[in-house]
Amino acid sequence: LSLQMMPSSKVQNSGKKTKVKDPNEPKRPLNAYRLFVRDVRAKVEKENPKLSKKEVGLEIAAIWKVTGENEKKPYTDEAKETLKKFETEMEAYRQVLL
């Protein structure tokens, strides 16, 4: 038997135009969960060095799920503040575009 390389079939573009991202556009802020992950990931990885990235993510999600509202409050407050800041920056950005 002779093994021949089959040409790889490429998926053709479905005709959709991709939006070009403006580098000056403000970046969306992190939500409360993402802020929590940013703070907790290193600790979880240090305590469980044999876990894969996926398993670390699952562990963090489980911790977030059982975390009480009082412990989540600093993250939700920060998320609200950064969202307000983002909204004002976006409003100013839209004014510049007009």
Side-chain angles (χ1 to χ4, degrees):
L1 287 174
S2 169
L3 297 177
Q4 293 181 342
M5 295 293 290
M6 297 295 293
S8 63
S9 61
K10 294 184 179 179
V11 177
Q12 292 191 358
N13 191 352
S14 62
K16 293 182 183 180
K17 293 189 177 188
T18 57
K19 182 180 173 185
V20 177
K21 187 85 168 156
D22 183 358
N24 297 323
E25 183 177 352
K27 303 262 189 252
R28 288 200 55 83
L30 298 176
N31 63 21
Y33 175 71
R34 291 290 181 187
L35 293 169
F36 176 77
V37 169
R38 181 184 64 187
D39 288 348
V40 175
R41 178 175 293 279
K43 179 182 174 192
V44 171
E45 288 175 342
K46 185 177 179 183
E47 291 175 357
N48 305 291
K50 294 185 179 183
L51 292 182
S52 68
K53 294 282 186 188
K54 179 182 176 182
E55 292 168 330
V56 169
L58 292 172
E59 181 68 25
I60 293 171
I63 294 169
W64 177 257
K65 190 173 183 178
V66 298
T67 301
E69 290 300 316
N70 289 338
E71 290 89 10
K72 290 181 182 180
K73 187 166 176 31
Y75 301 106
T76 56
D77 290 346
E78 184 179 350
K80 287 177 186 177
E81 288 176 26
T82 56
L83 181 61
K84 286 179 187 177
K85 181 181 176 192
F86 168 76
E87 289 171 347
T88 57
E89 289 174 356
M90 276 303 288
E91 187 60 37
Y93 172 76
R94 287 187 188 113
Q95 292 300 320
V96 171
L97 292 179
L98 298 177

